[in-house]
Amino acid sequence: MHEILVISGKGGAGKTSVTGAFAHLSDNAILCDLDVDAPDFHLLSQPEKYQTHEFWSGYEAHIRQDDCMQCGDCLERCRFDAIKEEDGLYTVDPIKCEGCKVCVALCPGDAIDFNLKKCGEWYRSHTRFGQLVHAQLYPGEENSGRLVALLKDEARKTAKEYGYEIMLADGAPGIGCPVISSLSGTDLAVFVTEPTPSGLHDLERVAALCDHFRVKGCVVINKYDLNTDMTEKIESFCEQKGYPVAGRVPHSNAVTAAMVERKTVTEYDSSMYTDFAGIWNNVLSQL
């Protein structure tokens, strides 16, 4: 099985729209939304969940009031101001607690528990394009990289069970932990960018990240016709670095109109279908 990951150096470049078009055009692909902090592929694919699993990760301190000596030692030691005191009662603010365990280890009364916490949920779903493995991390929770790794493992299991030949994943924007985690096992990264100075800058960053982890990449330039000079600069950069340009996508109001109807642009507009069919074939030729 080949693993294709669609990513961009920043959010808003059109990554999920491109993934949706590829999902519509692909045959025999398991789909995976790895943007666990802010997933939105479900808006286009309208999944029907058939499995829901809890995601437990990280730890959180909790003071047992019956055993607390009310000495205030935990409040003084906490560097994150996560300990609150009110009328002599000490409690932990779960939003501020970083799980460093200092209060747990040094509590004179051994009155602080350190429990695994529920950070979100992950799902297996049916979509009109095939099966989808996806998740939702709760707001402010950490361990997104670990959740991404879990989703990829579960998608591989599903692919093996049902004989899928491709894993098509919508990755997170940027170059942080969830992106790094999503690169594990990836055969080809598709960089989605747009013709702006920041688009080129962020393309350089995410391409350098993939080079570091020796993941092959190709480029899709979204809304290329809005700034043809910048498009030429991006193509020049790609030529210098050896990144194939899989395709250029024109600016089209059909993209927004398709989103409103919760469709991919290839389902909505025949000319965009033709454009993306060529791009998808170019992507597959890089495997």
Side-chain angles (χ1 to χ4, degrees), residues 111-131:
I112 305 179
D113 293 328
F114 200 51
N115 302 320
L116 199 64
K117 64 178 178 179
K118 183 181 175 184
C119 297
E121 295 180 331
W122 68 273
Y123 320 100
R124 280 195 171 92
S125 298
H126 294 296
T127 78
R128 60 191 183 281
F129 309 125
Q131 294 198 58

Side-chain angles (χ1 to χ4, degrees), residues 6 8 12 22 28 35 41 51 57 59 67 77-78 84 110 120 130 138 157 162 186 206 218 242 254 263 267 285:
V6 182
S8 59
F22 288 169
N28 204 24
D35 190 359
F41 185 71
Q51 283 185 11
S57 185
Y59 291 87
D67 297 323
R77 293 183 182 278
C78 183
K84 298 185 296 185
D110 192 23
Y138 294 157
K157 292 176 186 175
Y162 291 93
T186 292
V206 75
C218 64
K263 294 180 178 177
E267 294 175 293
S285 71

Side-chain angles (χ1 to χ4, degrees), residues 24-160:
H24 180 216
L25 294 163
S26 64
D27 293 323
N28 204 24
I30 177 78
L31 309 175
C32 200
D33 189 351
L34 302 179
D35 190 359
V36 297
D37 287 290
D40 57 2
F41 185 71
H42 62 281
L43 299 176
L44 298 178
S45 59
Q46 303 182 61
E48 296 181 4
K49 299 172 186 171
Y50 67 90
Q51 283 185 11
T52 298
H53 303 267
E54 296 177 346
F55 175 62
W56 292 76
S57 185
Y59 291 87
E60 183 179 276
H62 176 75
I63 300 174
R64 299 190 309 277
Q65 297 303 326
D66 290 344
D67 297 323
C68 178
M69 300 166 59
Q70 300 181 340
C71 64
D73 186 82
C74 54
L75 187 147
E76 294 180 6
R77 293 183 182 278
C78 183
R79 298 178 58 187
F80 304 101
D81 297 325
I83 307 294
K84 298 185 296 185
E85 185 273 333
E86 187 174 351
D87 298 330
L89 190 67
Y90 293 85
T91 57
V92 179
D93 183 343
I95 300 297
K96 293 184 176 179
C97 181
E98 292 287 329
C100 69
K101 205 180 178 179
V102 166
C103 61
V104 178
L106 301 178
C107 175
D110 192 23
I112 305 179
D113 293 328
F114 200 51
N115 302 320
L116 199 64
K117 64 178 178 179
K118 183 181 175 184
C119 297
E121 295 180 331
W122 68 273
Y123 320 100
R124 280 195 171 92
S125 298
H126 294 296
T127 78
R128 60 191 183 281
F129 309 125
Q131 294 198 58
L132 170 67
V133 180
H134 55 129
Q136 176 68 66
L137 199 65
Y138 294 157
E141 295 294 353
E142 300 178 350
N143 296 295
S144 56
R146 186 175 177 184
L147 181 54
V148 166
L150 184 151
L151 292 183
K152 292 201 74 169
D153 285 345
E154 295 299 329
R156 289 177 184 128
K157 292 176 186 175
T158 303
K160 184 176 182 180

